[in-house]
Amino acid sequence: NIQVELQKLQSSGMPAIIETVQTNNRGQFSFSPADADTSATYVFGANHQSVHYFSETFKLSAAAKPNLVIYDTTKVTAGLKASMHHFFLEDDGRSISVRETVVLTNPTNKTIVGAFHEHGIGDAILKFQLPVGAQNFTPMERNTGIELQKSGDFVFDTGVFVPGQRQVSYVYQLPWRRDAVTAFLKVLYPATSFDVFLNNPNLRIQ
């Protein structure tokens, strides 16, 4: 008995709710919009345990069979694994620019929410540690639907983690100290692949 919305995407990209129904005890539902627009793009939406889920977008046609997948929630993160944790280092003259990318997997059948509470940040699901002295922290644009906030030397992901993979990327600078940069790169989640890439053959890691 979950409430499901049929939403029509406007020219602005924002959805407008067209109709609302309840699922049956098997999770099934159907819509019969009075003003069907076969040229428009639609999406199903539903809220379950404070998490909003969406189907893939679709057109109204007999062939359209979009899926709306909904999960129960959990605060447990013990099963999280990182398939890769990569550092890309680039010398921009005054500092070393670091792009850090982590791909994590939620192998469960539940959405992870509010795994812990951080003062000044609120509920979060993931935590990453920056090297001491890191400056100009900036989340990457590819973090669609991911909310990163920095507090001290830590970065917190305050979104939700549905089953499957989640990529988190951000950049920061480490200033040169004469002819060297000293940094401790810390990994808080076990990673299958841990790599450091250099864009300049004159850069050396010791």
Side-chain angles (χ1 to χ4, degrees):
N1 295 321
I2 294 176
Q3 183 172 287
V4 180
E5 302 167 345
L6 174 63
Q7 302 180 8
K8 179 180 177 181
L9 299 186
Q10 308 297 299
S11 57
S12 64
M14 298 298 294
I17 300 174
I18 304 301
E19 190 176 344
T20 301
V21 299
Q22 296 285 128
T23 63
N24 61 23
N25 57 7
R26 299 177 59 187
Q28 298 171 327
F29 62 93
S30 63
F31 286 94
S32 300
D35 185 19
D37 184 353
T38 56
S39 65
T41 300
Y42 292 84
V43 65
F44 293 139
N47 191 72
H48 179 58
Q49 297 179 355
S50 300
V51 178
H52 209 76
Y53 297 90
F54 293 96
S55 70
E56 65 269 30
T57 57
F58 61 93
K59 304 284 188 179
L60 292 181
S61 69
K65 295 182 179 180
N67 290 320
L68 176 61
V69 182
I70 294 173
Y71 304 95
D72 286 337
T73 58
T74 181
K75 295 179 178 292
V76 178
T77 61
L80 287 183
K81 299 178 181 178
S83 58
M84 60 169 253
H85 196 143
H86 290 174
F87 296 83
F88 299 86
L89 277 59
E90 181 177 352
D91 182 4
D92 62 15
R94 296 183 178 180
S95 63
I96 294 293
S97 177
V98 181
R99 174 163 58 90
E100 192 168 342
T101 297
V102 189
V103 177
L104 297 114
T105 300
N106 173 5
T108 72
N109 61 353
K110 294 184 177 182
T111 296
I112 300 172
V113 300
F116 58 94
H117 187 87
E118 184 67 23
H119 179 70
I121 296 293
D123 289 341
I125 57 171
L126 300 170
K127 179 170 71 172
F128 308 93
Q129 186 165 0
L130 299 174
V132 175
Q135 302 174 354
N136 303 321
F137 166 81
T138 306
M140 298 289 287
E141 291 182 357
R142 65 170 60 96
N143 293 319
T144 304
I146 296 179
E147 303 172 28
L148 299 181
Q149 297 187 46
K150 179 180 178 293
S151 179
D153 293 330
F154 292 92
V155 176
F156 299 90
D157 185 340
T158 59
V160 299
F161 194 168
V162 299
Q165 287 193 329
R166 184 178 187 84
Q167 178 172 313
V168 178
S169 297
Y170 46 86
V171 296
Y172 51 87
Q173 277 75 46
L174 297 172
W176 283 106
R177 298 287 187 257
R178 295 185 179 179
D179 59 351
V181 171
T182 300
F184 295 94
L185 306 180
K186 296 187 178 181
V187 176
L188 301 183
Y189 302 97
T192 303
S193 172
F194 178 87
D195 297 286
V196 179
F197 299 91
L198 307 177
N199 82 317
N200 188 329
N202 293 323
L203 292 176
R204 293 183 301 163
I205 298 178
Q206 297 181 333

